[in-house]
Amino acid sequence: MLLNDVLRKLPSPLKIPNARGKIKYLNKMMKNKLIVLDDDPTGCQTVHDIEILMVWDSSSLKTVFEKNDVFYILTNSRAYSEDTAMSLNRSICQNLLKVSDKKQLRIISRSDSTLRGHFYAEIITLAKILGPFDGVVIAPYFKEGKRLTIFDTHYILENGNLIEVNKTEYSKDPVFGYKNAYLPAWVEEKSRGLWKKEEVISIKVEKLRTEGPRYVSEILKKVQGFKPIIVNSLCDEDMEVFVLGLLEAEKEGKRFLYRTAASFVKIRAGIPDKDLYVPLKQNTGLIIVGSYVQKTTQQLHYLLKTEPLERLEIKLKRVFNDKESYINEIVKKVDVALKNKQTFVIYTERKYGFHGSRIGQLKKSQELSNFLAEIVDKLYERPDFIIAKGGITSFDIAKKGLRVKKAFVLGQISPGVPIWKLGRESKYPDLLYIVFPGNVGEEKTLHDIFRKITRGE
Protein backbone atom coordinates (compact mmCIF):
# COMPACT_ATOMS: atom_id res chain seq x y z
CA MET A 1 0.00 0.00 0.00
CA LEU A 2 1.44 3.35 -1.06
CA LEU A 3 1.42 6.14 1.52
CA ASN A 4 0.62 8.74 -1.13
CA ASP A 5 -2.52 6.82 -2.11
CA VAL A 6 -3.66 6.88 1.51
CA LEU A 7 -2.89 10.58 1.95
CA ARG A 8 -4.88 11.52 -1.15
CA LYS A 9 -8.01 10.05 0.46
CA LEU A 10 -7.54 11.84 3.79
CA PRO A 11 -8.12 15.44 4.85
CA SER A 12 -4.97 17.52 5.34
CA PRO A 13 -3.46 17.52 8.84
CA LEU A 14 -4.97 20.00 11.29
CA LYS A 15 -2.15 22.37 12.23
CA ILE A 16 -2.85 24.05 15.55
CA PRO A 17 -0.68 27.17 16.04
CA ASN A 18 1.81 26.80 18.91
CA ALA A 19 0.39 23.38 19.79
CA ARG A 20 3.48 22.33 21.80
CA GLY A 21 3.44 25.62 23.71
CA LYS A 22 -0.21 25.08 24.62
CA ILE A 23 0.54 21.54 25.74
CA LYS A 24 3.42 22.70 27.89
CA TYR A 25 1.25 25.41 29.45
CA LEU A 26 -1.50 22.90 30.29
CA ASN A 27 1.05 20.54 31.86
CA LYS A 28 2.33 23.35 34.06
CA MET A 29 -1.16 24.51 34.99
CA MET A 30 -2.16 20.95 35.92
CA LYS A 31 1.15 20.44 37.80
CA ASN A 32 1.84 17.28 35.83
CA LYS A 33 5.04 15.34 36.43
CA LEU A 34 5.76 13.31 33.31
CA ILE A 35 7.90 10.25 34.06
CA VAL A 36 9.11 8.09 31.17
CA LEU A 37 9.88 4.49 32.12
CA ASP A 38 12.00 3.44 29.16
CA ASP A 39 12.52 -0.24 28.48
CA ASP A 40 15.78 0.46 26.65
CA PRO A 41 18.02 3.54 26.26
CA THR A 42 16.84 4.48 22.77
CA GLY A 43 13.52 6.05 23.79
CA CYS A 44 15.02 9.52 24.31
CA GLN A 45 15.52 9.69 20.55
CA THR A 46 13.05 12.56 20.02
CA VAL A 47 13.84 14.85 22.97
CA HIS A 48 16.54 17.28 24.01
CA ASP A 49 17.74 18.96 27.20
CA ILE A 50 16.29 16.17 29.35
CA GLU A 51 17.77 14.30 32.31
CA ILE A 52 18.00 10.52 32.36
CA LEU A 53 18.29 8.41 35.48
CA MET A 54 19.80 4.93 35.43
CA VAL A 55 19.16 4.45 39.16
CA TRP A 56 15.88 4.94 41.03
CA ASP A 57 16.58 5.00 44.73
CA SER A 58 14.36 7.44 46.63
CA SER A 59 17.13 9.99 47.10
CA SER A 60 17.99 10.15 43.38
CA LEU A 61 14.32 10.34 42.42
CA LYS A 62 13.65 13.13 44.92
CA THR A 63 16.51 15.25 43.57
CA VAL A 64 15.52 14.96 39.91
CA PHE A 65 11.79 15.14 40.71
CA GLU A 66 12.16 18.50 42.42
CA LYS A 67 14.11 20.01 39.50
CA ASN A 68 12.26 18.58 36.50
CA ASP A 69 8.71 18.25 35.24
CA VAL A 70 9.84 15.67 32.67
CA PHE A 71 12.55 13.04 33.00
CA TYR A 72 13.46 9.50 32.01
CA ILE A 73 14.16 6.42 34.09
CA LEU A 74 15.92 3.69 32.13
CA THR A 75 14.66 0.27 33.20
CA ASN A 76 16.18 -1.70 30.29
CA SER A 77 13.39 -4.18 31.02
CA ARG A 78 13.26 -5.43 27.44
CA ALA A 79 16.58 -7.16 28.10
CA TYR A 80 15.17 -9.20 30.98
CA SER A 81 12.59 -11.86 31.71
CA GLU A 82 8.97 -10.95 32.28
CA ASP A 83 9.26 -11.48 36.03
CA THR A 84 12.29 -9.20 36.22
CA ALA A 85 10.53 -6.56 34.10
CA MET A 86 7.60 -6.60 36.51
CA SER A 87 9.92 -6.36 39.50
CA LEU A 88 11.77 -3.37 38.03
CA ASN A 89 8.57 -1.49 37.31
CA ARG A 90 7.19 -2.32 40.75
CA SER A 91 10.32 -1.05 42.49
CA ILE A 92 10.36 2.20 40.54
CA CYS A 93 6.68 2.91 41.19
CA GLN A 94 7.01 2.23 44.91
CA ASN A 95 9.92 4.67 45.12
CA LEU A 96 8.09 7.28 43.04
CA LEU A 97 5.22 7.16 45.50
CA LYS A 98 7.64 7.99 48.30
CA VAL A 99 8.46 11.34 46.66
CA SER A 100 5.16 12.24 44.98
CA ASP A 101 1.39 11.99 44.95
CA LYS A 102 0.26 9.49 42.32
CA LYS A 103 -2.40 11.91 41.10
CA GLN A 104 0.43 14.19 40.01
CA LEU A 105 2.19 11.48 38.01
CA ARG A 106 1.74 10.91 34.30
CA ILE A 107 3.52 7.67 33.43
CA ILE A 108 4.71 6.84 29.93
CA SER A 109 5.74 3.23 29.55
CA ARG A 110 7.97 3.85 26.54
CA SER A 111 8.66 0.82 24.37
CA ASP A 112 9.56 -0.24 20.87
CA SER A 113 7.90 1.31 17.83
CA THR A 114 7.95 -2.12 16.19
CA LEU A 115 5.80 -3.54 19.01
CA ARG A 116 8.41 -5.58 20.90
CA GLY A 117 8.50 -5.58 24.68
CA HIS A 118 6.77 -6.79 27.86
CA PHE A 119 3.46 -5.10 27.04
CA TYR A 120 1.12 -7.07 29.30
CA ALA A 121 3.48 -7.51 32.26
CA GLU A 122 4.49 -3.87 32.49
CA ILE A 123 1.05 -2.38 31.94
CA ILE A 124 -0.53 -4.64 34.56
CA THR A 125 2.20 -3.91 37.11
CA LEU A 126 1.89 -0.15 36.67
CA ALA A 127 -1.89 -0.27 36.83
CA LYS A 128 -1.91 -2.26 40.09
CA ILE A 129 0.38 0.19 41.88
CA LEU A 130 -0.55 3.53 40.34
CA GLY A 131 -4.15 2.92 39.29
CA PRO A 132 -7.02 2.99 38.92
CA PHE A 133 -6.85 4.25 35.33
CA ASP A 134 -9.73 4.86 32.95
CA GLY A 135 -7.71 3.59 30.00
CA VAL A 136 -4.32 2.87 28.51
CA VAL A 137 -3.22 4.92 25.50
CA ILE A 138 -1.40 2.81 22.90
CA ALA A 139 0.56 4.98 20.44
CA PRO A 140 3.43 3.24 18.56
CA TYR A 141 3.72 6.10 16.04
CA PHE A 142 7.36 7.17 15.61
CA LYS A 143 8.01 9.70 12.86
CA GLU A 144 11.81 9.53 12.91
CA GLY A 145 11.74 5.77 12.40
CA LYS A 146 8.97 5.92 9.77
CA ARG A 147 6.51 3.97 11.92
CA LEU A 148 2.96 5.05 11.14
CA THR A 149 -0.49 3.97 12.36
CA ILE A 150 -3.58 4.17 10.15
CA PHE A 151 -6.85 2.19 10.02
CA ASP A 152 -5.82 0.81 13.46
CA THR A 153 -2.92 -0.97 11.76
CA HIS A 154 0.77 -0.29 12.40
CA TYR A 155 3.14 0.09 9.46
CA ILE A 156 6.77 0.72 8.61
CA LEU A 157 7.30 3.08 5.69
CA GLU A 158 9.88 1.83 3.19
CA ASN A 159 10.44 3.59 -0.15
CA GLY A 160 6.95 5.08 -0.03
CA ASN A 161 5.29 1.74 0.75
CA LEU A 162 3.42 1.06 3.97
CA ILE A 163 4.50 -2.40 5.14
CA GLU A 164 2.49 -4.06 7.89
CA VAL A 165 4.81 -4.49 10.83
CA ASN A 166 3.90 -8.16 11.22
CA LYS A 167 5.50 -8.75 7.81
CA THR A 168 8.91 -7.49 8.95
CA GLU A 169 11.81 -9.18 10.76
CA TYR A 170 10.76 -7.46 14.00
CA SER A 171 7.62 -9.57 14.33
CA LYS A 172 9.81 -12.69 14.17
CA ASP A 173 11.73 -11.65 17.29
CA PRO A 174 12.48 -14.90 19.19
CA VAL A 175 11.36 -13.38 22.50
CA PHE A 176 8.80 -10.72 21.57
CA GLY A 177 7.38 -12.02 18.30
CA TYR A 178 3.73 -11.46 17.32
CA LYS A 179 1.22 -12.25 14.58
CA ASN A 180 -0.85 -9.09 14.20
CA ALA A 181 -0.22 -5.58 12.86
CA TYR A 182 -3.92 -4.77 13.27
CA LEU A 183 -3.61 -3.27 16.74
CA PRO A 184 -6.92 -4.37 18.29
CA ALA A 185 -5.94 -7.96 17.43
CA TRP A 186 -2.39 -7.31 18.65
CA VAL A 187 -3.77 -6.05 21.98
CA GLU A 188 -5.86 -9.20 22.36
CA GLU A 189 -2.86 -11.35 21.40
CA LYS A 190 -0.46 -9.66 23.80
CA SER A 191 -2.85 -9.09 26.72
CA ARG A 192 -3.57 -12.82 27.03
CA GLY A 193 -7.27 -12.21 26.75
CA LEU A 194 -7.43 -9.36 29.27
CA TRP A 195 -8.92 -7.35 26.42
CA LYS A 196 -10.79 -8.58 23.37
CA LYS A 197 -10.25 -6.75 20.09
CA GLU A 198 -13.88 -5.62 20.13
CA GLU A 199 -13.24 -3.67 23.36
CA VAL A 200 -10.45 -1.54 21.88
CA ILE A 201 -11.27 2.14 21.34
CA SER A 202 -10.00 3.78 18.16
CA ILE A 203 -8.92 7.40 17.65
CA LYS A 204 -9.13 7.90 13.90
CA VAL A 205 -6.82 10.11 11.80
CA GLU A 206 -9.61 11.53 9.63
CA LYS A 207 -11.53 12.62 12.74
CA LEU A 208 -8.42 14.18 14.30
CA ARG A 209 -8.04 16.23 11.13
CA THR A 210 -11.64 17.33 10.74
CA GLU A 211 -12.94 17.60 14.32
CA GLY A 212 -9.82 18.43 16.31
CA PRO A 213 -9.15 18.04 20.06
CA ARG A 214 -12.84 18.12 20.99
CA TYR A 215 -13.34 14.81 19.13
CA VAL A 216 -10.64 13.25 21.31
CA SER A 217 -11.82 14.71 24.61
CA GLU A 218 -15.43 13.66 24.02
CA ILE A 219 -14.35 10.05 23.43
CA LEU A 220 -11.91 9.95 26.34
CA LYS A 221 -14.37 11.44 28.83
CA LYS A 222 -16.55 8.36 28.29
CA VAL A 223 -13.76 5.81 28.69
CA GLN A 224 -13.75 3.82 31.92
CA GLY A 225 -12.73 0.42 33.24
CA PHE A 226 -9.12 0.54 31.99
CA LYS A 227 -9.86 0.17 28.28
CA PRO A 228 -7.14 0.20 25.56
CA ILE A 229 -7.16 3.23 23.24
CA ILE A 230 -5.41 3.04 19.86
CA VAL A 231 -4.08 6.36 18.52
CA ASN A 232 -3.84 6.51 14.74
CA SER A 233 -1.27 9.03 13.55
CA LEU A 234 0.62 9.80 10.36
CA CYS A 235 2.41 12.97 11.45
CA ASP A 236 3.25 15.02 14.53
CA GLU A 237 0.29 17.32 13.91
CA ASP A 238 -2.08 14.36 14.32
CA MET A 239 -0.47 13.50 17.64
CA GLU A 240 -0.60 17.13 18.80
CA VAL A 241 -4.35 17.18 18.22
CA PHE A 242 -4.70 13.96 20.19
CA VAL A 243 -2.62 15.21 23.12
CA LEU A 244 -4.56 18.48 23.37
CA GLY A 245 -7.79 16.47 23.54
CA LEU A 246 -6.24 14.08 26.05
CA LEU A 247 -5.28 16.97 28.32
CA GLU A 248 -8.81 18.35 28.19
CA ALA A 249 -10.15 14.99 29.39
CA GLU A 250 -7.49 14.76 32.10
CA LYS A 251 -8.34 18.27 33.27
CA GLU A 252 -11.79 16.94 34.10
CA GLY A 253 -10.39 14.11 36.19
CA LYS A 254 -9.86 11.25 33.73
CA ARG A 255 -6.69 9.18 34.30
CA PHE A 256 -4.74 7.36 31.64
CA LEU A 257 -1.64 5.22 31.48
CA TYR A 258 0.46 5.54 28.31
CA ARG A 259 2.20 2.73 26.39
CA THR A 260 3.91 4.44 23.48
CA ALA A 261 6.89 4.88 21.22
CA ALA A 262 9.26 7.85 21.37
CA SER A 263 7.35 10.48 19.36
CA PHE A 264 4.50 10.57 21.88
CA VAL A 265 6.93 11.57 24.65
CA LYS A 266 8.08 14.70 22.87
CA ILE A 267 4.56 15.84 22.06
CA ARG A 268 2.97 14.86 25.39
CA ALA A 269 5.65 16.92 27.16
CA GLY A 270 5.25 19.87 24.80
CA ILE A 271 8.93 19.74 23.79
CA PRO A 272 9.61 21.80 20.65
CA ASP A 273 11.51 20.38 17.71
CA LYS A 274 15.18 21.28 17.51
CA ASP A 275 17.82 21.11 14.80
CA LEU A 276 20.15 18.12 14.86
CA TYR A 277 22.92 18.43 17.43
CA VAL A 278 26.33 19.28 15.99
CA PRO A 279 29.09 18.34 18.46
CA LEU A 280 32.52 19.87 18.56
CA LYS A 281 34.94 17.86 16.45
CA GLN A 282 36.26 14.80 18.28
CA ASN A 283 39.37 12.83 17.41
CA THR A 284 39.28 9.28 18.75
CA GLY A 285 36.33 7.05 19.41
CA LEU A 286 35.08 3.57 20.20
CA ILE A 287 32.22 2.09 18.17
CA ILE A 288 30.53 -0.98 19.66
CA VAL A 289 27.92 -2.82 17.60
CA GLY A 290 25.81 -5.36 19.45
CA SER A 291 22.55 -5.21 17.51
CA TYR A 292 22.40 -7.80 14.73
CA VAL A 293 19.19 -6.84 12.89
CA GLN A 294 19.57 -6.49 9.14
CA LYS A 295 19.55 -2.68 9.18
CA THR A 296 22.45 -2.58 11.65
CA THR A 297 24.45 -5.11 9.64
CA GLN A 298 24.06 -3.03 6.48
CA GLN A 299 25.20 0.08 8.33
CA LEU A 300 28.19 -1.70 9.84
CA HIS A 301 29.31 -3.13 6.51
CA TYR A 302 29.06 0.29 4.85
CA LEU A 303 31.17 1.90 7.59
CA LEU A 304 33.86 -0.77 7.44
CA LYS A 305 33.92 -0.66 3.64
CA THR A 306 34.36 3.11 3.46
CA GLU A 307 36.55 3.91 6.50
CA PRO A 308 40.01 2.42 7.28
CA LEU A 309 39.23 1.83 10.94
CA GLU A 310 40.78 -0.60 13.39
CA ARG A 311 38.25 -3.39 13.89
CA LEU A 312 37.55 -6.68 15.64
CA GLU A 313 34.73 -9.19 15.29
CA ILE A 314 33.62 -10.76 18.58
CA LYS A 315 33.52 -14.56 18.32
CA LEU A 316 30.71 -16.03 20.38
CA LYS A 317 32.45 -19.31 21.12
CA ARG A 318 35.21 -17.42 22.91
CA VAL A 319 32.71 -15.20 24.73
CA PHE A 320 31.02 -18.22 26.30
CA ASN A 321 34.06 -20.48 26.69
CA ASP A 322 37.13 -18.27 27.14
CA LYS A 323 35.72 -15.06 28.57
CA GLU A 324 38.46 -13.61 30.79
CA SER A 325 41.43 -14.12 28.51
CA TYR A 326 39.38 -12.96 25.51
CA ILE A 327 38.36 -9.71 27.27
CA ASN A 328 41.97 -8.97 28.26
CA GLU A 329 43.12 -9.62 24.70
CA ILE A 330 40.54 -7.22 23.27
CA VAL A 331 41.16 -4.51 25.87
CA LYS A 332 44.88 -4.46 24.98
CA LYS A 333 44.10 -3.99 21.29
CA VAL A 334 41.58 -1.22 21.93
CA ASP A 335 43.89 0.61 24.36
CA VAL A 336 46.71 0.57 21.82
CA ALA A 337 44.45 2.00 19.13
CA LEU A 338 43.06 4.74 21.40
CA LYS A 339 46.57 5.66 22.58
CA ASN A 340 47.56 6.04 18.92
CA LYS A 341 44.50 8.26 18.31
CA GLN A 342 42.71 5.65 16.21
CA THR A 343 39.00 4.91 16.36
CA PHE A 344 38.29 1.23 17.04
CA VAL A 345 35.20 -0.75 15.96
CA ILE A 346 34.06 -3.80 17.94
CA TYR A 347 31.17 -5.82 16.54
CA THR A 348 29.51 -9.12 17.31
CA GLU A 349 29.23 -11.88 14.75
CA ARG A 350 26.53 -10.97 12.28
CA LYS A 351 24.99 -14.39 11.81
CA TYR A 352 24.17 -16.09 15.03
CA GLY A 353 21.19 -17.18 17.01
CA PHE A 354 20.57 -18.36 20.51
CA HIS A 355 18.56 -21.53 20.92
CA GLY A 356 16.40 -22.86 23.70
CA SER A 357 13.65 -21.25 25.77
CA ARG A 358 12.81 -17.55 25.61
CA ILE A 359 14.38 -17.05 29.04
CA GLY A 360 17.46 -18.95 27.93
CA GLN A 361 17.81 -16.77 24.83
CA LEU A 362 17.47 -13.63 26.91
CA LYS A 363 20.17 -14.87 29.29
CA LYS A 364 22.57 -15.57 26.43
CA SER A 365 21.90 -12.16 24.93
CA GLN A 366 22.48 -10.55 28.33
CA GLU A 367 25.73 -12.46 28.78
CA LEU A 368 26.99 -11.15 25.45
CA SER A 369 25.98 -7.60 26.33
CA ASN A 370 27.76 -7.90 29.69
CA PHE A 371 30.88 -9.06 27.85
CA LEU A 372 30.88 -5.86 25.78
CA ALA A 373 30.36 -3.77 28.90
CA GLU A 374 33.30 -5.45 30.64
CA ILE A 375 35.58 -4.48 27.78
CA VAL A 376 34.69 -0.83 28.35
CA ASP A 377 35.00 -1.18 32.12
CA LYS A 378 38.58 -2.47 31.81
CA LEU A 379 39.84 0.13 29.31
CA TYR A 380 42.70 2.32 30.47
CA GLU A 381 42.69 4.90 27.66
CA ARG A 382 39.80 7.39 27.39
CA PRO A 383 38.09 7.81 24.01
CA ASP A 384 36.65 11.17 22.97
CA PHE A 385 33.30 9.55 22.16
CA ILE A 386 31.55 6.19 22.16
CA ILE A 387 28.89 5.02 19.72
CA ALA A 388 26.88 2.05 21.04
CA LYS A 389 24.65 0.31 18.49
CA GLY A 390 21.63 -1.51 19.89
CA GLY A 391 19.37 -0.89 22.88
CA ILE A 392 20.58 -3.62 25.24
CA THR A 393 24.17 -2.98 24.22
CA SER A 394 24.00 0.76 24.85
CA PHE A 395 22.35 0.31 28.26
CA ASP A 396 24.83 -2.21 29.61
CA ILE A 397 27.84 -0.29 28.32
CA ALA A 398 26.53 2.89 29.97
CA LYS A 399 25.52 1.37 33.31
CA LYS A 400 28.02 -1.44 33.77
CA GLY A 401 30.92 -0.35 31.60
CA LEU A 402 30.85 3.41 32.16
CA ARG A 403 29.13 3.32 35.58
CA VAL A 404 26.63 6.02 34.59
CA LYS A 405 23.97 7.00 37.11
CA LYS A 406 22.72 10.11 35.36
CA ALA A 407 23.07 11.56 31.86
CA PHE A 408 21.82 14.56 29.93
CA VAL A 409 20.26 14.26 26.48
CA LEU A 410 21.83 16.99 24.33
CA GLY A 411 19.63 16.20 21.34
CA GLN A 412 19.82 14.00 18.24
CA ILE A 413 22.95 13.69 16.13
CA SER A 414 20.82 12.06 13.40
CA PRO A 415 17.04 11.57 13.26
CA GLY A 416 16.14 9.08 15.98
CA VAL A 417 19.72 8.83 17.30
CA PRO A 418 20.27 10.61 20.66
CA ILE A 419 23.57 11.94 21.95
CA TRP A 420 24.18 12.11 25.70
CA LYS A 421 26.65 13.88 27.92
CA LEU A 422 27.56 11.54 30.74
CA GLY A 423 27.31 12.54 34.40
CA ARG A 424 30.27 13.52 36.54
CA GLU A 425 30.11 10.24 38.49
CA SER A 426 30.77 8.10 35.40
CA LYS A 427 34.05 6.51 34.39
CA TYR A 428 34.55 9.20 31.74
CA PRO A 429 32.79 12.38 32.98
CA ASP A 430 31.18 14.51 30.25
CA LEU A 431 31.95 11.91 27.58
CA LEU A 432 29.82 12.18 24.41
CA TYR A 433 27.82 8.95 24.23
CA ILE A 434 25.77 8.17 21.15
CA VAL A 435 22.89 5.73 21.67
CA PHE A 436 22.16 4.29 18.23
CA PRO A 437 19.03 2.08 18.03
CA GLY A 438 19.42 -1.06 15.99
CA ASN A 439 16.35 -0.44 13.84
CA VAL A 440 16.89 3.25 12.95
CA GLY A 441 18.56 4.92 9.98
CA GLU A 442 19.62 4.06 6.44
CA GLU A 443 22.65 2.20 5.10
CA LYS A 444 24.97 5.23 5.42
CA THR A 445 23.73 6.54 8.79
CA LEU A 446 26.44 5.00 11.01
CA HIS A 447 29.11 6.18 8.57
CA ASP A 448 27.59 9.67 8.43
CA ILE A 449 27.46 9.96 12.23
CA PHE A 450 31.10 8.89 12.48
CA ARG A 451 32.17 11.53 9.95
CA LYS A 452 30.00 14.18 11.57
CA ILE A 453 31.58 13.70 14.98
CA THR A 454 35.17 13.28 13.75
CA ARG A 455 35.28 15.64 10.78
CA GLY A 456 32.37 18.01 11.29
CA GLU A 457 30.79 16.90 8.00
Side-chain angles (χ1 to χ4, degrees), residues 364-383:
K364 282 290 187 184
S365 179
Q366 190 65 60
E367 192 173 340
L368 175 57
S369 187
N370 287 338
F371 180 88
L372 297 174
E374 282 191 55
I375 293 171
V376 176
D377 180 57
K378 292 186 175 182
L379 287 178
Y380 177 76
E381 299 290 333
R382 174 181 169 131

Side-chain angles (χ1 to χ4, degrees), residues 170-198:
Y170 308 113
S171 71
K172 310 301 185 293
D173 187 289
V175 178
F176 299 114
Y178 51 90
K179 298 177 182 178
N180 297 287
Y182 178 61
L183 291 175
W186 178 85
V187 167
E188 181 172 335
E189 175 187 351
K190 286 297 179 178
S191 72
R192 303 171 191 174
L194 173 66
W195 294 298
K196 301 298 183 186
K197 60 186 177 183
E198 295 81 12

Side-chain angles (χ1 to χ4, degrees), residues 404-416:
V404 177
K405 292 184 178 178
K406 187 164 69 172
F408 189 76
V409 183
L410 296 167
Q412 280 68 53
I413 194 168
S414 181

Side-chain angles (χ1 to χ4, degrees), residues 27-73:
N27 283 330
K28 190 174 184 66
M29 184 184 73
M30 296 163 65
K31 298 182 179 179
N32 286 343
K33 290 284 187 177
L34 194 63
I35 318 297
V36 186
L37 306 186
D38 202 343
D39 72 356
D40 85 353
T42 65
C44 55
Q45 60 204 141
T46 62
V47 302
H48 55 84
D49 303 315
I50 293 285
E51 282 197 278
I52 293 177
L53 282 179
M54 302 189 77
V55 294
W56 46 83
D57 57 279
S58 298
S59 177
S60 298
L61 286 174
K62 188 173 189 296
T63 300
V64 74
F65 195 88
E66 289 173 350
K67 292 194 305 178
N68 300 276
D69 292 330
V70 185
F71 63 91
Y72 280 69
I73 301 172

Side-chain angles (χ1 to χ4, degrees), residues 2 12 44 81-82 170 191 202 278 296 301 324 334 424 454:
L2 292 173
S12 298
C44 55
S81 69
E82 183 176 278
Y170 308 113
S191 72
S202 173
V278 181
T296 291
H301 286 166
E324 292 304 322
V334 177
R424 300 295 301 172
T454 57

Side-chain angles (χ1 to χ4, degrees), residues 286-304:
L286 177 60
I287 301 172
I288 305 176
V289 181
S291 167
Y292 58 93
V293 299
Q294 183 179 2
K295 189 180 287 285
T296 291
T297 299
Q298 291 171 346
Q299 293 166 349
L300 173 66
H301 286 166
Y302 188 88
L303 174 71
L304 297 180

Side-chain angles (χ1 to χ4, degrees), residues 64-201:
V64 74
F65 195 88
E66 289 173 350
K67 292 194 305 178
N68 300 276
D69 292 330
V70 185
F71 63 91
Y72 280 69
I73 301 172
L74 296 192
T75 70
N76 201 40
S77 59
R78 208 186 309 167
Y80 304 121
S81 69
E82 183 176 278
D83 286 345
T84 302
M86 294 173 76
S87 178
L88 289 170
N89 280 266
R90 189 179 302 115
S91 172
I92 291 168
C93 289
Q94 288 167 346
N95 284 350
L96 279 172
L97 291 177
K98 293 176 184 177
V99 301
S100 67
D101 180 343
K102 71 178 180 181
K103 292 181 180 178
Q104 190 181 18
L105 297 176
R106 299 293 183 270
I107 300 295
I108 299 177
S109 177
R110 203 297 307 187
S111 193
D112 181 43
S113 62
T114 58
L115 304 182
R116 297 170 298 170
H118 293 291
F119 170 72
Y120 172 81
E122 294 186 322
I123 289 299
I124 290 302
T125 301
L126 295 170
K128 283 181 179 177
I129 299 174
L130 300 177
F133 294 100
D134 294 297
V136 54
V137 171
I138 300 169
Y141 162 77
F142 173 42
K143 179 184 74 174
E144 290 79 0
K146 300 179 181 178
R147 325 287 202 240
L148 309 176
T149 309
I150 183 72
F151 312 128
D152 291 335
T153 302
H154 197 50
Y155 296 92
I156 293 178
L157 182 65
E158 292 185 3
N159 300 317
N161 289 294
L162 289 169
I163 305 202
E164 290 174 305
V165 73
N166 65 328
K167 296 178 181 177
T168 69
E169 64 175 313
Y170 308 113
S171 71
K172 310 301 185 293
D173 187 289
V175 178
F176 299 114
Y178 51 90
K179 298 177 182 178
N180 297 287
Y182 178 61
L183 291 175
W186 178 85
V187 167
E188 181 172 335
E189 175 187 351
K190 286 297 179 178
S191 72
R192 303 171 191 174
L194 173 66
W195 294 298
K196 301 298 183 186
K197 60 186 177 183
E198 295 81 12
E199 296 179 80
V200 176
I201 296 159

